[in-house]
Amino acid sequence: MAVSLDEIDVRLLRELETDADRPNVELARIVGLSPAATLNRVRRLKESGVIRRITARLDSATAGFSLQVYLLVTLAHHDERAERRFQAEVNAIDNIIAADTVAGEIDAILMIVARDVAELHVVLSRLSTRGGAQRLVTLLRLAELKPSSPLPISVQPRRAG
């Protein structure tokens, strides 16, 4: 269920998505609240789940991971045990930095980083053998077309009723 956001919440979220490293005092000045009120708002947004966590976004290539690969996965079996096994293996592999279950011709899309082809090969082998993947399609990421962007959030009108 969506959380009701007012205009100050929306401004706070936009500012945090743009620069989460901004000091609370500066954030308070930008949104027009006291630092204490701003801190309380941010805390409430975290507790409600709107803000999952505040993290640093690293550059994988600069950090030494020259290969970034999207992996399309089709599982060999589609029962609960097979899906748990696959999820456990995905969670155990540090090179998998994002993973989503999807509907359609494939079962999951993974984002993998690796220092070289040998490291990538280890990840692919683990997913095939221990993870129960039947088919793996690798797509080499060449360049970032659009960086991860802020959500297009806005104040939602309240419904009558």
Side-chain angles (χ1 to χ4, degrees):
M1 185 167 110
V3 173
S4 179
L5 303 172
D6 65 19
E7 195 163 324
I8 293 174
D9 291 331
V10 169
R11 287 173 50 204
L12 276 170
L13 292 169
R14 284 184 184 149
E15 292 300 325
L16 287 170
E17 278 196 300
T18 302
D19 182 5
D21 194 33
R22 182 175 287 136
N24 185 61
V25 173
E26 183 181 338
L27 193 58
R29 183 186 50 74
I30 291 169
V31 299
L33 292 177
S34 71
T38 301
L39 194 58
N40 286 335
R41 287 271 187 145
V42 172
R43 185 176 294 126
R44 183 179 51 79
L45 290 166
K46 286 178 181 178
E47 289 170 356
S48 72
V50 174
I51 297 175
R52 283 195 279 174
R53 72 175 167 254
I54 296 175
T55 62
R57 186 169 163 94
L58 307 181
D59 184 288
S60 54
T62 304
F65 296 94
S66 58
L67 293 176
Q68 296 99 39
V69 175
Y70 293 99
L71 185 67
L72 311 181
V73 180
T74 304
L75 297 177
H77 302 284
H78 292 90
D79 55 70
E80 190 175 324
R81 182 175 176 221
E83 289 174 8
R84 277 196 319 265
R85 178 176 141 193
F86 176 71
Q87 183 173 358
E89 195 60 30
V90 167
N91 289 331
I93 300 173
D94 291 337
N95 295 74
I96 299 173
I97 61 169
D100 293 299
T101 301
V102 296
E105 292 184 34
I106 60 170
D107 297 310
I109 299 175
L110 283 54
M111 179 62 171
I112 299 171
V113 294
R115 290 175 185 87
D116 53 35
V117 173
E119 188 173 54
L120 176 62
H121 185 231
V122 169
V123 173
L124 298 177
S125 294
R126 280 183 65 178
L127 289 169
S128 292
T129 56
R130 296 185 212 167
Q134 174 183 346
R135 182 168 183 252
L136 302 173
V137 176
T138 57
L139 304 170
L140 180 63
R141 180 177 180 252
L142 298 177
E144 183 175 69
L145 188 58
K146 180 180 179 180
S148 180
S149 302
L151 289 176
I153 57 174
S154 61
V155 177
Q156 298 298 312
R158 299 201 186 268
R159 294 183 189 174

